[in-house]
Amino acid sequence: MGNDVVMVDEIPFPQQITTAKPLSLLGYGITDIEIHFLQIKFTAIGVYLEPEIVGHLQQWKGKPGNVVAEDDDFFEAVISAPVEKFLRIVVIKEIKGSQYGVQLESSVRDRLAADDKYEDEEEAALEKVVEFFQSKYLKKDSIITFHFPANSGTAEIAFSTEGKEDSKIKVENANVVETIKKWYLGGTRGVSPSTITSLANTLSAELSK
């Protein structure tokens, strides 16, 4: 398995993927919860970004990863940096697509409502995303990807699972797209603290070069 793969909870993630251009795996982790001292893992996450992102984060140069991980302004800068972003999410514990869709919907809706940005257009765009997942079954090793092109308020969500054709949906509401980014990359409010820590440590190391 050479050096070109990183294992995230026994799931291989390529260190680089190419969309419009090569993107590097700069952060990874899992989503999980603890119930009665038992850790239940749901998904493994890989965050791929253009390496040039460090040019947009210079004001954090020299700050250690643990400091950066707690700084939500840093992650705001990551989210708004005009570079391509790609999230690869691999299912560990199978759930219905509708459950995943509802989690995404409630998180995105709550954040938009808190920022006074939840209008009819946002509701309609979010509804499309929920419908996309409604009919899916997220069995183990299924893959969900979110592709955020540079300088664009759009996103493409794709789903692939063994034995079925890949399906895709485009999200064209900039507020919803931004908030999906925040769900996964939103610093201390992100859905996966382990991914945020990993991303902070990698970017901090890159900034100190």
Side-chain angles (χ1 to χ4, degrees), residues 106-120:
S106 60
S107 175
V108 169
R109 187 183 52 219
D110 291 353
R111 285 167 193 245
L112 283 171
D115 293 343
D116 239 353
K117 289 180 178 170
Y118 190 65
E119 304 290 340
D120 291 350

Side-chain angles (χ1 to χ4, degrees), residues 157-185:
I157 305 174
F159 176 73
S160 62
T161 189
E162 201 188 349
K164 292 215 171 145
E165 212 172 298
D166 292 6
S167 45
K168 291 181 178 173
I169 182 177
K170 196 163 185 186
V171 187
E172 290 175 323
N173 179 289
N175 285 333
V176 168
V177 168
E178 177 89 350
T179 312
I180 292 173
K181 287 181 200 169
K182 286 182 179 172
W183 192 40
Y184 276 109
L185 304 174

Side-chain angles (χ1 to χ4, degrees), residues 19-69:
T19 49
K21 51 177 78 171
L23 306 180
S24 303
L25 179 64
L26 295 184
Y28 51 83
I30 57 168
T31 55
D32 63 340
I33 56 168
E34 211 172 87
I35 299 177
H36 303 311
F37 305 110
L38 270 180
Q39 185 193 27
I40 298 171
K41 299 171 185 176
F42 293 111
T43 61
I45 300 166
V47 179
Y48 294 85
L49 302 167
E50 286 181 49
E52 293 76 52
I53 192 164
V54 293
H56 300 279
L57 303 171
Q58 288 304 308
Q59 71 186 86
W60 286 274
K61 198 172 178 65
K63 297 223 168 131
N66 59 334
V67 171
V68 172

Side-chain angles (χ1 to χ4, degrees), residues 96-109 130 133-134 183:
K96 291 178 180 152
S98 55
Q99 287 172 279
Y100 178 82
V102 163
Q103 287 169 12
L104 185 149
E105 178 188 35
S106 60
S107 175
V108 169
R109 187 183 52 219
V130 174
F133 284 109
Q134 194 74 41
W183 192 40

